[in-house]
């Protein structure tokens, strides 16, 4: 399995028609876009880390019971420069590249100086984001690349910094019912005091006639100063309720001095992330309208989080669910030399891997500093999560465990910011390669699983049935690959209620393991 994940993918630039077994629901009309690393070597040079591979974008289009597939490499500046040179010449988070020694001394000196403040790669391999009516391939840097969701052509890159002072931004925004997009980023260098910034792009921000980017109408919602100026918290996603943004300032931190000197010391940007197991985790709750944070200081024990599941408000509490780890070893597992081990030795060498745990935190936001010390302030009856007032007036939050061993979570997005019952994800048991899909019922604490021997499904995406009232009335979509040459890659369609297979569409072309994506309904 490790070998097929880290080998170079190939493009399928023209649509190919899949062979469908079962019946694709006639109401399922639209395109599932997926993004992930797909090119791991150029010429004789190779990337060190799976998250460095160059972006390969896939689309699965559903129309009248048929499924068509196509894929194209994101034609980022990084891609074009690497291909032209026939070797990797742009650094990524796990692969630091140095200038050709044949270059003249002046060009080399300029390259060295420019790396003090990194101008990050624009290899946007993590997700697809919608701003206004425009779609962008995104990672966690200041560049995003606009793509045509129908042809997968790259239409040119946009720099967040032309619109807001940011060095980094997440690839996991939130969308509200009006079509607005909320996202957050980090302003590190040369923009006044370093801070985390939350911003909003209005739903009607696109100007297709004049080809102007949606980001030009970007509005800052608020900013949060770093807890420690030289050690900002790393974050991959955040939570949102009807009225609040939830930001988890975790003790997985970016070492700014190390980042600024990484190039000279011959270490990667990825190695500048450090987990401080003795620190606390701060929970910031910010009003989406006023931009003001709650006056009470909420905190928890040290944890690492990449993905939030959902968040909502109930009876004066903010409830948010996320997937946490005890440490930051996950990043190390994805070095390509580790992924290429045989399964047995891979399991053995990753025994220390901290499994993902789905946890629920509950913050009683209406508490007062005079509340009784030492008592649990959570009054909701359907959770074991606790929030205990401390002597200094801060509130220590202890989570409730919902499920162990699940990543890449998804929900019925119509229930985003609302009280919900179900979430879906990739079952992670013995390695970072998920080999099952799962549906978790938070109320009954039961789960269902889809599994086929020697098959590796991608992140599940929920699509609701037209006019659906029940939360799990819809389908789950996941692209599945296998190292077994007799199993073609296929797009799996499950009934979200029963978790039984409705159809699969076998793709007559290579498909590569991906990370994230989204479903765009047909007009």
């Amino acid at each position: 399995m490790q070998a097929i994940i880290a080998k170079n993918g190939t493009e399928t630039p023209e649509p190919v028609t899949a062979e469908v077994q079962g019946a694709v629901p006639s109401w399922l009309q639209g395109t599932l876009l997926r993004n992930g690393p797909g090119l791991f070597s150029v010429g004789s040079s190779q990337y060190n880390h799976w998250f460095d591979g160059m972006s390969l974008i896939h689309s699965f289009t559903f129309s009248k019971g048929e499924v068509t597939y196509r894929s194209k490499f994101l034609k980022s500046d990084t891609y074009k420069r690497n291909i032209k040179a026939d070797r990797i010449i742009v650094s990524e988070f796990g692969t630091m590249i140095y200038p050709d020694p044949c270059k003249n001394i002046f060009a080399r000196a300029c390259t060295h100086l420019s790396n003090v403040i990194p101008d990050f790669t624009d290899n946007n391999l993590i997700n697809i984001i919608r701003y206004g009516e425009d779609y962008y391939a995104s990672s966690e840097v200041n560049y995003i690349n606009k793509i045509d969701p129908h042809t997968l052509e790259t239409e040119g890159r946009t720099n967040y910094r032309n619109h807001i002072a940011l060095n980094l931004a997440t690839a996991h925004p939130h969308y509200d019912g009006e079509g607005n997009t909320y996202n957050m980023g980090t302003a590190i260098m040369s923009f006044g005091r370093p801070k985390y910034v939350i911003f909003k792009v209005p739903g009607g921000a696109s100007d297709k006639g004049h080809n102007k980017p949606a980001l030009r109408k970007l509005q800052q919602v608020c900013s949060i100063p770093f807890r420690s100026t030289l050690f900002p918290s790393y974050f991959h996603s955040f939570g949102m309720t009807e009225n609040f943004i939830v930001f988890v300032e975790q003790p997985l931190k970016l070492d700014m001095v190390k980042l600024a000197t990484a190039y000279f010391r011959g270490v990667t940007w990825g190695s500048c992330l450090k987990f401080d197991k003795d620190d606390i985790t701060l929970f910031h709750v910010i009003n989406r309208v006023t931009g003001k944070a709650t006056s009470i200081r909420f905190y928890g024990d040290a944890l690492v989080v990449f993905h939030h599941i959902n968040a909502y408000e109930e009876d004066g509490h903010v409830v948010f669910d996320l997937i946490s780890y005890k440490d930051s070893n996950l990043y190390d597992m994805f070095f390509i030399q580790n992924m290429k081990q045989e399964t047995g030795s891979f399991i053995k060498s990753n025994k220390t891997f901290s499994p993902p745990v789905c946890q629920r935190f509950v913050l009683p936001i209406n508490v007062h500093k005079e509340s009784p010390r030492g008592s649990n302030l959570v009054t909701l009856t359907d959770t074991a999560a606790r929030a205990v007032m401390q002597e200094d007036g801060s509130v220590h939050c202890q989570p409730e465990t919902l499920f162990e061993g699940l990543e890449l979570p998804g929900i019925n997005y119509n229930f985003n910011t609302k009280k919900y019952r179900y979430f879906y994800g990739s079952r992670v048991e013995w390695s970072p390669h998920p080999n099952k899909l799962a549906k978790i019922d938070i109320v009954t604490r039961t789960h269902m699983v889809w599994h086929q021997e020697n098959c590796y499904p991608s992140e599940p995406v929920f699509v609701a049935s037209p006019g659906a009232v029940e939360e799990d009335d819809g389908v789950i979509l996941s692209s599945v690959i296998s190292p077994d040459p007799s199993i073609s890659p296929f797009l799996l369609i499950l009934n979200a209620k029963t978790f039984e297979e409705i159809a699969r569409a076998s793709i007559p072309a290579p498909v590569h393991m991906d990370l994230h994506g989204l479903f765009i309904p047909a007009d």
Side-chain angles (χ1 to χ4, degrees):
M1 175 56 197
Q2 283 79 355
I4 71 161
I5 279 192
K7 75 169 189 182
N8 285 345
T10 54
E11 292 186 310
T12 305
E14 294 304 320
V16 294
T17 302
E19 185 187 325
V20 175
Q21 288 173 274
V24 177
S26 57
W27 57 262
L28 185 60
Q29 306 275 332
T31 298
L32 175 66
L33 288 181
R34 306 288 307 160
N35 194 357
L39 198 63
F40 300 93
S41 63
V42 183
S44 59
S45 57
Q46 297 185 335
Y47 289 116
N48 297 331
H49 201 279
W50 195 67
F51 295 156
D52 293 345
M54 284 194 283
S55 162
L56 180 58
I57 298 177
H58 315 259
S59 69
F60 301 86
T61 299
F62 304 88
S63 178
K64 299 175 182 163
E66 283 199 334
V67 181
T68 52
Y69 170 80
R70 77 194 310 168
S71 64
K72 288 182 186 176
F73 286 111
L74 181 71
K75 305 305 189 294
S76 61
D77 281 21
T78 296
Y79 176 91
K80 289 188 272 201
R81 287 173 62 195
N82 287 343
I83 296 299
K84 186 178 178 188
D86 195 33
R87 64 187 178 90
I88 298 166
I89 60 170
V90 180
S91 295
E92 299 291 338
F93 277 84
T95 309
M96 190 62 88
I97 303 294
Y98 298 92
D100 190 330
C102 301
K103 266 188 174 179
N104 69 51
I105 191 79
F106 177 73
R108 291 215 314 268
C110 285
T111 305
H112 284 294
L113 284 172
S114 71
N115 277 284
V116 176
I117 296 178
D119 186 24
F120 292 120
T121 167
D122 69 337
N123 173 32
N124 303 126
L125 74 154
I126 295 179
N127 204 358
I128 306 291
I129 290 182
R130 177 180 61 72
Y131 285 126
E133 294 161 31
D134 303 334
Y135 293 89
Y136 295 88
S138 62
S139 48
E140 300 192 319
V141 296
N142 55 294
Y143 295 115
I144 49 177
N145 271 285
K146 189 177 173 195
I147 60 161
D148 181 316
H150 305 296
T151 65
L152 305 188
E153 285 299 311
T154 307
E155 298 184 332
R157 79 176 184 181
T158 296
N159 189 343
Y160 279 116
R161 291 210 290 246
N162 294 340
H163 308 277
I164 188 170
L166 289 180
N167 298 86
L168 304 164
T170 93
H172 287 290
H174 284 279
Y175 308 100
D176 67 16
E178 281 78 60
N180 304 310
T181 305
Y182 288 81
N183 205 349
M184 87 177 273
T186 308
I188 301 172
M189 303 173 195
S190 71
F191 305 123
R193 188 170 176 194
K195 54 192 176 287
Y196 311 106
V197 178
I198 293 158
F199 61 91
K200 167 185 168 182
V201 179
S206 299
D207 184 353
K208 294 213 184 283
H210 299 94
N211 198 26
K212 289 189 174 158
L215 288 183
R216 79 193 195 289
K217 292 194 176 172
L218 180 151
Q219 304 157 9
Q220 181 170 314
V221 174
C222 74
S223 67
I224 304 160
F226 292 175
R227 184 168 26 150
S228 166
T229 305
L230 291 176
F231 297 93
S233 171
Y234 169 78
F235 55 96
H236 185 79
S237 62
F238 60 100
M240 188 167 91
T241 72
E242 209 170 310
N243 296 294
F244 299 102
I245 300 284
V246 179
F247 167 49
V248 177
E249 193 174 12
Q250 63 183 343
L252 177 59
K253 305 169 188 176
L254 195 55
D255 182 330
M256 295 308 308
V257 174
K258 199 170 176 188
L259 184 75
T261 58
Y263 186 81
F264 303 109
R265 289 183 306 107
V267 299
T268 64
W269 291 324
S271 73
C272 302
L273 282 171
K274 282 284 169 278
F275 176 60
D276 182 354
K277 69 181 189 331
D278 300 318
D279 201 356
I280 58 166
T281 302
L282 275 181
F283 303 120
H284 299 275
V285 181
I286 300 112
N287 187 298
R288 273 168 58 182
V289 177
T290 65
K292 296 271 188 293
T294 55
S295 58
I296 297 283
R297 183 175 189 259
F298 296 103
Y299 73 99
D301 299 335
L303 59 78
V304 171
V305 55
F306 299 101
H307 297 118
H308 283 249
I309 304 170
N310 196 10
Y312 61 90
E313 296 157 47
E314 185 176 19
D315 295 338
H317 300 75
V318 165
V319 180
F320 63 95
D321 300 339
L322 51 74
I323 296 177
S324 81
Y325 294 84
K326 286 196 175 78
D327 55 44
S328 57
N329 292 352
L330 183 73
Y331 179 82
D332 297 334
M333 290 180 75
F334 285 92
F335 277 103
I336 286 171
Q337 67 191 39
N338 295 340
M339 297 181 77
K340 284 186 171 173
Q341 294 177 44
E342 282 312 304
T343 300
S345 58
F346 186 90
I347 296 169
K348 206 169 174 182
S349 63
N350 286 287
K351 280 234 158 63
T352 56
F353 167 59
S354 141
V357 182
C358 305
Q359 293 186 316
R360 167 161 292 180
F361 286 89
V362 180
L363 312 187
I365 50 170
N366 296 334
V367 300
H368 300 287
K369 289 200 164 132
E370 296 74 47
S371 296
R373 301 304 191 248
S375 59
N376 179 23
L377 304 172
V378 176
T379 56
L380 301 181
T381 55
D382 62 350
T383 180
R386 293 168 57 80
V388 177
M389 178 65 80
Q390 305 300 297
E391 286 303 325
D392 64 359
S394 63
V395 176
H396 180 240
C397 304
Q398 296 155 297
E400 171 187 21
T401 294
L402 301 177
F403 191 77
E404 286 194 19
L406 183 129
E407 250 297 357
L408 305 175
I411 60 169
N412 175 346
Y413 205 77
N414 295 329
F415 284 77
N416 192 49
T417 76
K418 300 180 176 74
K419 186 164 184 176
Y420 74 118
R421 178 170 177 171
Y422 306 106
F423 62 95
Y424 310 87
S426 301
R427 191 84 171 88
V428 181
E429 291 174 307
W430 46 266
S431 84
H433 315 308
N435 61 343
K436 296 175 182 173
L437 295 174
K439 172 188 181 180
I440 315 300
D441 183 330
I442 300 169
V443 174
T444 62
R445 297 302 164 93
T446 56
H447 72 284
M448 299 177 181
V449 166
W450 177 89
H451 171 66
Q452 183 179 324
E453 201 58 44
N454 228 359
C455 286
Y456 295 85
S458 71
E459 167 194 66
V461 174
F462 180 95
V463 183
S465 304
V469 176
E470 291 177 293
E471 185 185 334
D472 59 351
D473 183 357
V475 295
I476 292 291
L477 306 178
S478 174
S479 66
V480 183
I481 62 170
S482 172
D484 182 341
S486 69
I487 303 175
S488 297
F490 60 94
L491 192 285
L492 175 69
I493 305 176
L494 300 178
N495 177 330
K497 219 178 248 306
T498 63
F499 232 54
E500 289 166 351
E501 184 174 324
I502 300 171
R504 67 173 60 188
S506 294
I507 311 295
V511 177
H512 215 274
M513 178 68 92
D514 56 42
L515 282 167
H516 300 293
L518 87 171
F519 183 78
I520 305 171
D523 294 335

